[in-house]
Amino acid sequence: REFDATVIGYDEMNDLAGSPAANPLLLPLTRHRADVVRERALIALAEIGGREVSRPAVPALKDESAVVRAAAARTIAVGGDPSAAPLLVRRLDGEEDEGVQAELLRAVGKLGGEDALEVLAKWAEPGGRLRRRTPFVRAAAVEGLAYLPGGEARALLELYRQDREPAVKRAAEVALK
């Protein structure tokens, strides 16, 4: 079937998802003018998986669309390359959208790396008066902690199981199961 990247629908994107042979077709779509096409191309890359999907997703971390940035974070996490974690951490501080922050935090946890525990612990805290973190973002940091091995991460999860915020408490309980 002929494929036209300028006129694409969900059916065509779904046909491409999951097939490594689709990579050359999907890569240009990560720069398409329509947000939904860029997002769906990143989702399809994530479904393909493997380390080679991380690199094409990196530029999308700076996309104008929050849903595209969130899809990029998920795709990078699926790629599984721990060397991408510092990039995700740098994007966290400049990111204003809570949904994207949450995906970045989960991705940091999935990728691990030397600073992952420190970063996730910081974002799991409520924060100060000037930079309070919402329960949604804090819960995502706790979810990220669940991916980390070791006693320190587990101790933090135990601590957050006693949190006042129900979303944070529930994320810790699920992580400890």
Side-chain angles (χ1 to χ4, degrees):
R1 172 162 80 155
E2 196 64 33
F3 180 77
D4 180 0
T6 60
V7 181
I8 187 164
Y10 282 109
D11 291 340
E12 288 84 0
M13 291 296 282
N14 287 333
D15 290 345
L16 293 175
S19 170
N23 274 4
L25 298 173
L26 291 170
L27 296 179
L29 296 177
T30 63
R31 296 178 301 278
H32 194 272
R33 62 181 155 68
D35 296 358
V36 68
V37 174
R38 293 191 309 275
E39 176 195 20
R40 189 64 190 121
L42 289 163
I43 291 169
L45 284 171
E47 290 175 6
I48 292 168
R51 286 189 181 220
E52 63 277 356
V53 302
S54 292
R55 185 166 297 220
V58 168
L61 289 172
K62 294 181 180 181
D63 198 275
E64 63 192 34
S65 167
V67 295
V68 173
R69 293 192 308 273
R74 285 190 303 272
T75 302
I76 292 168
V78 166
D81 183 1
S83 69
L87 171 66
L88 298 175
V89 171
R90 284 192 302 275
R91 295 298 310 156
L92 263 170
D93 286 327
E95 182 57 59
E96 297 293 326
D97 186 272
E98 288 183 352
V100 179
Q101 287 174 343
E103 290 302 334
L104 288 167
L105 289 164
R106 289 183 197 104
V108 167
K110 287 177 183 175
L111 296 177
E114 61 185 61
D115 294 335
L117 180 67
E118 180 182 332
V119 168
L120 294 169
K122 176 183 113 178
W123 281 81
E125 295 172 4
R129 285 186 315 149
L130 297 177
R131 178 94 180 192
R132 295 223 28 101
R133 291 186 179 80
T134 65
F136 177 72
V137 170
R138 292 183 60 220
V142 169
E143 290 171 25
L145 285 168
Y147 293 102
L148 300 180
E152 289 180 79
R154 182 156 181 86
L156 286 170
L157 292 171
E158 291 287 353
L159 173 71
Y160 288 117
R161 186 164 37 185
Q162 309 304 319
D163 202 88
R164 283 189 287 175
E165 292 292 344
V168 175
K169 183 177 181 173
R170 179 71 180 134
E173 289 171 350
V174 169
L176 287 167
K177 288 185 180 179

Short mmCIF file of all heavy atoms in Angstrom, two decimals, residues 96-156:
data_model
loop_
_atom_site.label_atom_id
_atom_site.label_comp_id
_atom_site.label_asym_id
_atom_site.label_seq_id
_atom_site.Cartn_x
_atom_site.Cartn_y
_atom_site.Cartn_z
N GLU A 96 7.16 23.08 32.40
CA GLU A 96 6.05 23.66 33.16
C GLU A 96 4.84 22.73 33.24
O GLU A 96 4.06 22.81 34.17
CB GLU A 96 5.62 24.99 32.52
CG GLU A 96 6.70 26.05 32.55
CD GLU A 96 7.01 26.53 33.96
OE1 GLU A 96 6.09 26.58 34.79
OE2 GLU A 96 8.19 26.84 34.21
N ASP A 97 4.67 21.86 32.26
CA ASP A 97 3.49 21.00 32.20
C ASP A 97 3.64 19.82 33.15
O ASP A 97 4.61 19.06 33.08
CB ASP A 97 3.28 20.50 30.76
CG ASP A 97 2.00 19.73 30.62
OD1 ASP A 97 2.02 18.50 30.85
OD2 ASP A 97 0.98 20.36 30.30
N GLU A 98 2.66 19.64 34.04
CA GLU A 98 2.73 18.56 35.03
C GLU A 98 2.70 17.18 34.40
O GLU A 98 3.34 16.26 34.89
CB GLU A 98 1.58 18.68 36.03
CG GLU A 98 1.72 19.81 36.98
CD GLU A 98 0.59 19.83 38.00
OE1 GLU A 98 -0.38 19.04 37.88
OE2 GLU A 98 0.69 20.63 38.93
N GLY A 99 1.94 17.02 33.34
CA GLY A 99 1.89 15.72 32.67
C GLY A 99 3.23 15.34 32.08
O GLY A 99 3.65 14.18 32.16
N VAL A 100 3.92 16.30 31.52
CA VAL A 100 5.25 16.05 30.96
C VAL A 100 6.24 15.80 32.09
O VAL A 100 7.07 14.89 32.01
CB VAL A 100 5.72 17.20 30.05
CG1 VAL A 100 7.12 16.93 29.51
CG2 VAL A 100 4.73 17.42 28.91
N GLN A 101 6.15 16.59 33.17
CA GLN A 101 7.02 16.35 34.32
C GLN A 101 6.85 14.92 34.83
O GLN A 101 7.84 14.24 35.11
CB GLN A 101 6.69 17.33 35.45
CG GLN A 101 7.13 18.74 35.21
CD GLN A 101 6.64 19.69 36.30
OE1 GLN A 101 5.73 19.39 37.07
NE2 GLN A 101 7.25 20.86 36.35
N ALA A 102 5.61 14.47 34.91
CA ALA A 102 5.33 13.12 35.39
C ALA A 102 5.97 12.07 34.48
O ALA A 102 6.60 11.12 34.97
CB ALA A 102 3.82 12.89 35.50
N GLU A 103 5.84 12.24 33.18
CA GLU A 103 6.45 11.27 32.25
C GLU A 103 7.97 11.30 32.33
O GLU A 103 8.63 10.26 32.25
CB GLU A 103 5.98 11.53 30.82
CG GLU A 103 4.54 11.19 30.57
CD GLU A 103 4.17 9.73 30.86
OE1 GLU A 103 5.04 8.83 30.80
OE2 GLU A 103 2.99 9.48 31.15
N LEU A 104 8.53 12.48 32.49
CA LEU A 104 9.99 12.60 32.64
C LEU A 104 10.46 11.88 33.90
O LEU A 104 11.47 11.17 33.88
CB LEU A 104 10.41 14.07 32.67
CG LEU A 104 10.33 14.82 31.35
CD1 LEU A 104 10.46 16.33 31.58
CD2 LEU A 104 11.38 14.33 30.36
N LEU A 105 9.73 12.04 34.99
CA LEU A 105 10.10 11.39 36.24
C LEU A 105 10.02 9.87 36.14
O LEU A 105 10.92 9.15 36.59
CB LEU A 105 9.22 11.90 37.39
CG LEU A 105 9.50 13.34 37.80
CD1 LEU A 105 8.36 13.90 38.63
CD2 LEU A 105 10.83 13.45 38.53
N ARG A 106 8.96 9.38 35.54
CA ARG A 106 8.85 7.92 35.35
C ARG A 106 9.98 7.41 34.47
O ARG A 106 10.55 6.35 34.71
CB ARG A 106 7.49 7.57 34.73
CG ARG A 106 6.33 7.76 35.68
CD ARG A 106 5.01 7.32 35.03
NE ARG A 106 3.90 7.85 35.77
CZ ARG A 106 3.15 8.89 35.40
NH1 ARG A 106 3.37 9.50 34.25
NH2 ARG A 106 2.15 9.31 36.15
N ALA A 107 10.31 8.17 33.43
CA ALA A 107 11.39 7.78 32.52
C ALA A 107 12.74 7.76 33.24
O ALA A 107 13.54 6.84 33.03
CB ALA A 107 11.44 8.72 31.31
N VAL A 108 12.98 8.74 34.08
CA VAL A 108 14.23 8.77 34.86
C VAL A 108 14.32 7.50 35.71
O VAL A 108 15.38 6.87 35.79
CB VAL A 108 14.32 10.05 35.72
CG1 VAL A 108 15.43 9.94 36.77
CG2 VAL A 108 14.54 11.27 34.84
N GLY A 109 13.22 7.12 36.34
CA GLY A 109 13.22 5.90 37.14
C GLY A 109 13.48 4.66 36.30
O GLY A 109 14.27 3.79 36.69
N LYS A 110 12.84 4.57 35.15
CA LYS A 110 13.02 3.40 34.29
C LYS A 110 14.45 3.28 33.78
O LYS A 110 15.00 2.19 33.68
CB LYS A 110 12.06 3.45 33.10
CG LYS A 110 10.62 3.18 33.49
CD LYS A 110 9.69 3.31 32.30
CE LYS A 110 8.26 3.11 32.73
NZ LYS A 110 7.31 3.34 31.64
N LEU A 111 15.06 4.42 33.46
CA LEU A 111 16.43 4.40 32.93
C LEU A 111 17.47 4.26 34.02
O LEU A 111 18.57 3.78 33.77
CB LEU A 111 16.70 5.66 32.10
CG LEU A 111 15.86 5.82 30.85
CD1 LEU A 111 16.17 7.14 30.17
CD2 LEU A 111 16.06 4.65 29.90
N GLY A 112 17.14 4.71 35.22
CA GLY A 112 18.10 4.64 36.32
C GLY A 112 19.23 5.63 36.12
O GLY A 112 19.02 6.74 35.68
N GLY A 113 20.41 5.21 36.43
CA GLY A 113 21.56 6.10 36.32
C GLY A 113 21.99 6.56 37.69
O GLY A 113 21.29 6.38 38.70
N GLU A 114 23.14 7.21 37.73
CA GLU A 114 23.74 7.55 39.02
C GLU A 114 22.97 8.60 39.81
O GLU A 114 23.00 8.59 41.04
CB GLU A 114 25.19 7.97 38.84
CG GLU A 114 25.38 9.20 37.97
CD GLU A 114 26.84 9.50 37.73
OE1 GLU A 114 27.53 8.65 37.15
OE2 GLU A 114 27.27 10.59 38.15
N ASP A 115 22.28 9.51 39.16
CA ASP A 115 21.57 10.57 39.88
C ASP A 115 20.07 10.30 40.03
O ASP A 115 19.36 11.13 40.61
CB ASP A 115 21.74 11.91 39.15
CG ASP A 115 23.18 12.39 39.17
OD1 ASP A 115 23.92 11.99 40.09
OD2 ASP A 115 23.55 13.16 38.27
N ALA A 116 19.59 9.18 39.53
CA ALA A 116 18.15 8.93 39.52
C ALA A 116 17.54 8.95 40.91
O ALA A 116 16.50 9.59 41.11
CB ALA A 116 17.85 7.60 38.83
N LEU A 117 18.17 8.31 41.86
CA LEU A 117 17.61 8.26 43.21
C LEU A 117 17.50 9.66 43.80
O LEU A 117 16.45 10.04 44.34
CB LEU A 117 18.47 7.36 44.11
CG LEU A 117 17.97 7.24 45.55
CD1 LEU A 117 16.65 6.50 45.60
CD2 LEU A 117 19.01 6.56 46.41
N GLU A 118 18.56 10.45 43.67
CA GLU A 118 18.56 11.81 44.21
C GLU A 118 17.49 12.68 43.56
O GLU A 118 16.75 13.40 44.22
CB GLU A 118 19.94 12.43 44.01
CG GLU A 118 20.07 13.83 44.54
CD GLU A 118 21.44 14.41 44.26
OE1 GLU A 118 22.41 13.66 44.16
OE2 GLU A 118 21.51 15.64 44.13
N VAL A 119 17.38 12.60 42.25
CA VAL A 119 16.41 13.41 41.51
C VAL A 119 14.98 13.01 41.88
O VAL A 119 14.14 13.88 42.18
CB VAL A 119 16.63 13.27 39.98
CG1 VAL A 119 15.48 13.85 39.20
CG2 VAL A 119 17.95 13.90 39.59
N LEU A 120 14.70 11.73 41.89
CA LEU A 120 13.35 11.28 42.20
C LEU A 120 12.97 11.58 43.65
O LEU A 120 11.83 11.96 43.92
CB LEU A 120 13.20 9.79 41.88
CG LEU A 120 13.31 9.46 40.39
CD1 LEU A 120 13.41 7.96 40.18
CD2 LEU A 120 12.14 10.05 39.61
N ALA A 121 13.92 11.44 44.55
CA ALA A 121 13.66 11.76 45.96
C ALA A 121 13.31 13.24 46.11
O ALA A 121 12.39 13.61 46.84
CB ALA A 121 14.86 11.39 46.82
N LYS A 122 14.04 14.10 45.39
CA LYS A 122 13.78 15.54 45.44
C LYS A 122 12.38 15.86 44.94
O LYS A 122 11.63 16.62 45.55
CB LYS A 122 14.83 16.28 44.62
CG LYS A 122 14.60 17.78 44.52
CD LYS A 122 15.63 18.43 43.63
CE LYS A 122 14.95 18.95 42.40
NZ LYS A 122 15.81 19.65 41.47
N TRP A 123 11.99 15.26 43.81
CA TRP A 123 10.69 15.55 43.21
C TRP A 123 9.54 14.88 43.97
O TRP A 123 8.39 15.31 43.84
CB TRP A 123 10.67 15.15 41.74
CG TRP A 123 11.36 16.17 40.90
CD1 TRP A 123 12.71 16.31 40.71
CD2 TRP A 123 10.76 17.22 40.16
NE1 TRP A 123 12.96 17.38 39.89
CE2 TRP A 123 11.79 17.96 39.53
CE3 TRP A 123 9.44 17.61 39.94
CZ2 TRP A 123 11.54 19.05 38.72
CZ3 TRP A 123 9.18 18.71 39.13
CH2 TRP A 123 10.23 19.41 38.53
N ALA A 124 9.83 13.86 44.76
CA ALA A 124 8.78 13.21 45.55
C ALA A 124 8.42 14.04 46.77
O ALA A 124 7.32 13.91 47.31
CB ALA A 124 9.22 11.81 45.97
N GLU A 125 9.31 14.92 47.19
CA GLU A 125 9.05 15.79 48.35
C GLU A 125 8.02 16.85 47.97
O GLU A 125 7.94 17.26 46.81
CB GLU A 125 10.34 16.47 48.79
CG GLU A 125 11.39 15.52 49.30
CD GLU A 125 12.72 16.21 49.56
OE1 GLU A 125 12.82 17.45 49.40
OE2 GLU A 125 13.66 15.50 49.91
N PRO A 126 7.29 17.34 48.97
CA PRO A 126 6.30 18.38 48.67
C PRO A 126 6.92 19.67 48.14
O PRO A 126 6.29 20.39 47.39
CB PRO A 126 5.61 18.63 50.02
CG PRO A 126 5.96 17.48 50.88
CD PRO A 126 7.22 16.89 50.35
N GLY A 127 8.14 19.97 48.51
CA GLY A 127 8.78 21.21 48.06
C GLY A 127 8.51 22.35 49.02
O GLY A 127 7.74 22.23 49.97
N GLY A 128 9.16 23.47 48.77
CA GLY A 128 9.01 24.63 49.64
C GLY A 128 7.83 25.48 49.25
O GLY A 128 7.04 25.14 48.38
N ARG A 129 7.73 26.63 49.90
CA ARG A 129 6.61 27.53 49.63
C ARG A 129 6.62 28.06 48.20
O ARG A 129 5.59 28.25 47.59
CB ARG A 129 6.64 28.72 50.59
CG ARG A 129 6.20 28.37 51.98
CD ARG A 129 6.10 29.58 52.86
NE ARG A 129 7.25 30.45 52.70
CZ ARG A 129 7.22 31.76 52.84
NH1 ARG A 129 6.09 32.36 53.15
NH2 ARG A 129 8.30 32.50 52.70
N LEU A 130 7.81 28.32 47.68
CA LEU A 130 7.90 28.91 46.35
C LEU A 130 7.66 27.89 45.23
O LEU A 130 7.15 28.22 44.18
CB LEU A 130 9.27 29.57 46.15
CG LEU A 130 9.57 30.74 47.08
CD1 LEU A 130 10.98 31.25 46.84
CD2 LEU A 130 8.56 31.85 46.87
N ARG A 131 8.06 26.67 45.44
CA ARG A 131 7.97 25.65 44.38
C ARG A 131 7.31 24.39 44.93
O ARG A 131 7.93 23.36 45.06
CB ARG A 131 9.37 25.37 43.84
CG ARG A 131 9.45 24.31 42.77
CD ARG A 131 9.40 24.92 41.42
NE ARG A 131 9.46 23.85 40.43
CZ ARG A 131 9.67 24.03 39.17
NH1 ARG A 131 9.87 25.22 38.72
NH2 ARG A 131 9.68 23.04 38.34
N ARG A 132 6.04 24.50 45.27
CA ARG A 132 5.32 23.32 45.76
C ARG A 132 5.07 22.36 44.61
O ARG A 132 4.76 22.79 43.51
CB ARG A 132 4.00 23.72 46.40
CG ARG A 132 4.23 24.55 47.63
CD ARG A 132 3.40 24.27 48.84
NE ARG A 132 2.86 22.98 49.11
CZ ARG A 132 3.39 22.13 49.99
NH1 ARG A 132 4.51 22.39 50.58
NH2 ARG A 132 2.78 21.01 50.26
N ARG A 133 5.19 21.11 44.90
CA ARG A 133 4.92 20.09 43.90
C ARG A 133 3.53 19.53 44.15
O ARG A 133 3.14 19.28 45.28
CB ARG A 133 5.98 19.01 43.97
CG ARG A 133 7.32 19.53 43.50
CD ARG A 133 8.36 18.45 43.41
NE ARG A 133 9.60 19.00 42.94
CZ ARG A 133 10.47 19.67 43.69
NH1 ARG A 133 10.23 19.85 44.96
NH2 ARG A 133 11.58 20.13 43.17
N THR A 134 2.83 19.30 43.07
CA THR A 134 1.48 18.77 43.20
C THR A 134 1.54 17.29 43.56
O THR A 134 2.54 16.61 43.29
CB THR A 134 0.70 18.93 41.89
OG1 THR A 134 1.33 18.13 40.88
CG2 THR A 134 0.64 20.39 41.45
N PRO A 135 0.46 16.77 44.15
CA PRO A 135 0.42 15.33 44.44
C PRO A 135 0.62 14.48 43.18
O PRO A 135 1.23 13.41 43.25
CB PRO A 135 -0.98 15.13 45.03
CG PRO A 135 -1.32 16.45 45.62
CD PRO A 135 -0.69 17.47 44.70
N PHE A 136 0.12 14.94 42.05
CA PHE A 136 0.27 14.20 40.79
C PHE A 136 1.74 14.02 40.42
O PHE A 136 2.20 12.93 40.09
CB PHE A 136 -0.49 14.94 39.68
CG PHE A 136 -0.36 14.32 38.32
CD1 PHE A 136 -1.00 13.13 38.01
CD2 PHE A 136 0.41 14.93 37.34
CE1 PHE A 136 -0.89 12.56 36.75
CE2 PHE A 136 0.54 14.37 36.09
CZ PHE A 136 -0.11 13.17 35.79
N VAL A 137 2.50 15.11 40.48
CA VAL A 137 3.93 15.06 40.14
C VAL A 137 4.69 14.26 41.19
O VAL A 137 5.56 13.45 40.86
CB VAL A 137 4.50 16.49 39.99
CG1 VAL A 137 6.01 16.48 39.89
CG2 VAL A 137 3.88 17.16 38.76
N ARG A 138 4.36 14.47 42.46
CA ARG A 138 5.03 13.71 43.52
C ARG A 138 4.77 12.21 43.36
O ARG A 138 5.69 11.39 43.52
CB ARG A 138 4.53 14.19 44.89
CG ARG A 138 4.98 15.62 45.22
CD ARG A 138 4.52 16.03 46.60
NE ARG A 138 5.10 15.13 47.59
CZ ARG A 138 4.44 14.67 48.64
NH1 ARG A 138 3.19 15.02 48.87
NH2 ARG A 138 5.04 13.85 49.49
N ALA A 139 3.54 11.83 43.02
CA ALA A 139 3.22 10.41 42.83
C ALA A 139 4.01 9.83 41.66
O ALA A 139 4.47 8.68 41.72
CB ALA A 139 1.72 10.24 42.61
N ALA A 140 4.20 10.61 40.60
CA ALA A 140 4.99 10.13 39.46
C ALA A 140 6.45 9.90 39.88
O ALA A 140 7.07 8.93 39.44
CB ALA A 140 4.92 11.13 38.31
N ALA A 141 6.98 10.77 40.74
CA ALA A 141 8.35 10.57 41.23
C ALA A 141 8.42 9.29 42.06
O ALA A 141 9.40 8.53 41.94
CB ALA A 141 8.80 11.78 42.05
N VAL A 142 7.40 9.03 42.86
CA VAL A 142 7.36 7.80 43.64
C VAL A 142 7.27 6.60 42.71
O VAL A 142 7.94 5.58 42.93
CB VAL A 142 6.19 7.84 44.65
CG1 VAL A 142 5.95 6.48 45.29
CG2 VAL A 142 6.45 8.90 45.72
N GLU A 143 6.48 6.71 41.65
CA GLU A 143 6.41 5.62 40.66
C GLU A 143 7.78 5.38 40.04
O GLU A 143 8.18 4.24 39.80
CB GLU A 143 5.39 5.95 39.57
CG GLU A 143 3.97 5.92 40.04
CD GLU A 143 3.00 6.46 38.99
OE1 GLU A 143 3.31 6.42 37.79
OE2 GLU A 143 1.92 6.94 39.39
N GLY A 144 8.52 6.46 39.77
CA GLY A 144 9.87 6.33 39.24
C GLY A 144 10.79 5.62 40.21
O GLY A 144 11.63 4.79 39.81
N LEU A 145 10.65 5.90 41.51
CA LEU A 145 11.46 5.23 42.53
C LEU A 145 11.26 3.72 42.50
O LEU A 145 12.18 2.96 42.81
CB LEU A 145 11.11 5.77 43.92
CG LEU A 145 11.64 7.14 44.29
CD1 LEU A 145 10.97 7.65 45.57
CD2 LEU A 145 13.16 7.11 44.43
N ALA A 146 10.07 3.29 42.15
CA ALA A 146 9.75 1.86 42.14
C ALA A 146 10.64 1.07 41.17
O ALA A 146 10.85 -0.12 41.36
CB ALA A 146 8.29 1.64 41.79
N TYR A 147 11.17 1.74 40.15
CA TYR A 147 12.01 1.05 39.17
C TYR A 147 13.46 0.89 39.64
O TYR A 147 14.22 0.13 39.04
CB TYR A 147 12.02 1.82 37.84
CG TYR A 147 10.69 1.83 37.15
CD1 TYR A 147 9.87 2.95 37.20
CD2 TYR A 147 10.25 0.71 36.44
CE1 TYR A 147 8.63 2.96 36.56
CE2 TYR A 147 9.02 0.72 35.80
CZ TYR A 147 8.22 1.84 35.87
OH TYR A 147 7.00 1.84 35.24
N LEU A 148 13.84 1.62 40.67
CA LEU A 148 15.23 1.61 41.10
C LEU A 148 15.50 0.45 42.05
O LEU A 148 14.71 0.20 42.96
CB LEU A 148 15.58 2.93 41.79
CG LEU A 148 15.42 4.19 40.95
CD1 LEU A 148 15.79 5.42 41.78
CD2 LEU A 148 16.25 4.13 39.68
N PRO A 149 16.62 -0.21 41.86
CA PRO A 149 16.99 -1.29 42.77
C PRO A 149 17.61 -0.70 44.05
O PRO A 149 18.02 0.45 44.08
CB PRO A 149 18.03 -2.08 41.97
CG PRO A 149 18.68 -1.04 41.11
CD PRO A 149 17.58 -0.06 40.77
N GLY A 150 17.67 -1.49 45.06
CA GLY A 150 18.41 -1.09 46.26
C GLY A 150 17.53 -0.69 47.42
O GLY A 150 16.35 -0.37 47.28
N GLY A 151 18.16 -0.71 48.58
CA GLY A 151 17.48 -0.44 49.83
C GLY A 151 17.07 1.01 50.01
O GLY A 151 16.06 1.29 50.67
N GLU A 152 17.84 1.95 49.45
CA GLU A 152 17.50 3.36 49.62
C GLU A 152 16.17 3.69 48.95
O GLU A 152 15.33 4.39 49.52
CB GLU A 152 18.60 4.26 49.07
CG GLU A 152 19.87 4.26 49.90
CD GLU A 152 20.91 5.16 49.29
OE1 GLU A 152 20.80 6.38 49.50
OE2 GLU A 152 21.80 4.64 48.61
N ALA A 153 15.98 3.19 47.74
CA ALA A 153 14.72 3.44 47.04
C ALA A 153 13.57 2.80 47.79
O ALA A 153 12.51 3.41 47.96
CB ALA A 153 14.80 2.91 45.61
N ARG A 154 13.77 1.60 48.27
CA ARG A 154 12.72 0.91 49.02
C ARG A 154 12.39 1.67 50.31
O ARG A 154 11.22 1.79 50.68
CB ARG A 154 13.12 -0.53 49.32
CG ARG A 154 12.03 -1.28 50.05
CD ARG A 154 12.14 -2.77 49.84
NE ARG A 154 11.07 -3.47 50.52
CZ ARG A 154 9.87 -3.70 50.02
NH1 ARG A 154 9.58 -3.27 48.82
NH2 ARG A 154 8.96 -4.35 50.70
N ALA A 155 13.41 2.18 50.99
CA ALA A 155 13.17 2.94 52.22
C ALA A 155 12.35 4.20 51.93
O ALA A 155 11.45 4.55 52.71
CB ALA A 155 14.51 3.31 52.87
N LEU A 156 12.63 4.85 50.82
CA LEU A 156 11.84 6.03 50.45
C LEU A 156 10.40 5.64 50.14
O LEU A 156 9.46 6.36 50.52
CB LEU A 156 12.47 6.74 49.25
CG LEU A 156 13.72 7.54 49.56
CD1 LEU A 156 14.39 8.00 48.27
CD2 LEU A 156 13.40 8.73 50.45
#
